[in-house]
Amino acid sequence: MKRFLAWVLAVLLSALFLVPASPAANAAPYCGITWGSLAKRDSGSATDAALTGVRAGRHTCYDRLVLDVRGDVDGWDVRYVPLVHAEGSGKPVPVAGGADLQVVVRVPAYNASGRPTYTPANPSRLVNVSSFSTFEQVAFAGSFEGQTTIALGVRARLPFRVFVLDGPGSGSRLVIDVAHRW
């Protein structure tokens, strides 16, 4: 209650004496980022597409995860969760970092014959993100019944965005950008 009263008094005094607001109050969002950290999804239907690769890149204001898909990405769900669970088994997939971002793409990592289209050399470390600002670890959480899950360990619960890029030919990419800070 004392803090609230002190805040009210400060607001009234600054209004009376026209004290300018602090620089932080006037600051624009970090790099213009206004994404937020709530779940994002596109509930498209399953297609005959397949996951073919996972890669990551560093940018000035965010780190980027890219899932390469043969065919069209037609549905995804990306959200912060307490712990990512493996497709099919439900076993925990722990990743390094202060927050777990679960990336579910509604395409399998196998073709119509059941042959793998994406086989990571090291499922617990899909890509090397050791020098990234936000990403701590990227792990494969499996592919089951037409969808694939990736566990993305990030430094903290930070703003992110998700979108699909159509690639050349018959491919597309699911892109997840996570800001370096708020």
Side-chain angles (χ1 to χ4, degrees), residues 18 21 26-27 29 31 33-34 57 62 74 81 102 106 115 129 133 138 143 169:
L18 300 173
N26 293 329
C31 289
I33 291 172
T34 58
Y62 55 86
D74 203 18
V81 295
Q102 174 180 276
R106 304 258 187 306
R115 292 196 179 108
V129 292
S133 297
V138 184
S143 188

Side-chain angles (χ1 to χ4, degrees), residues 7-154:
W7 176 80
V8 169
L9 183 60
V11 168
L12 290 173
L13 287 174
S14 66
L16 283 173
F17 297 105
L18 300 173
V19 176
S22 69
N26 293 329
Y30 173 69
C31 289
I33 291 172
T34 58
W35 306 332
S37 64
L38 297 178
K40 294 158 181 62
R41 64 187 308 228
D42 178 348
S43 57
S45 59
T47 65
D48 59 354
L51 182 70
T52 59
V54 176
R55 54 198 165 95
R58 296 180 307 158
H59 294 266
T60 303
C61 300
Y62 55 86
D63 290 346
R64 173 171 282 181
L65 183 70
V66 178
L67 280 60
D68 294 312
V69 174
R70 182 178 54 238
D72 293 329
V73 172
D74 203 18
W76 44 266
D77 186 297
V78 181
R79 66 184 60 229
Y80 284 105
V81 295
L83 182 66
V84 177
H85 294 276
E87 287 288 339
S89 72
K91 292 181 181 177
V93 181
V95 286
D100 293 4
L101 196 59
Q102 174 180 276
V103 178
V104 177
V105 60
R106 304 258 187 306
V107 298
Y110 48 85
N111 63 19
S113 302
R115 292 196 179 108
T117 57
Y118 176 66
T119 308
N122 182 352
S124 67
R125 300 255 179 219
L126 298 183
V127 292
N128 181 1
V129 292
S130 61
S131 63
F132 284 47
S133 297
T134 299
F135 292 173
E136 298 285 334
Q137 184 180 354
V138 184
F140 189 65
S143 188
F144 186 70
E145 293 186 348
Q147 72 179 26
T148 302
T149 299
I150 305 294
L152 176 56
V154 297

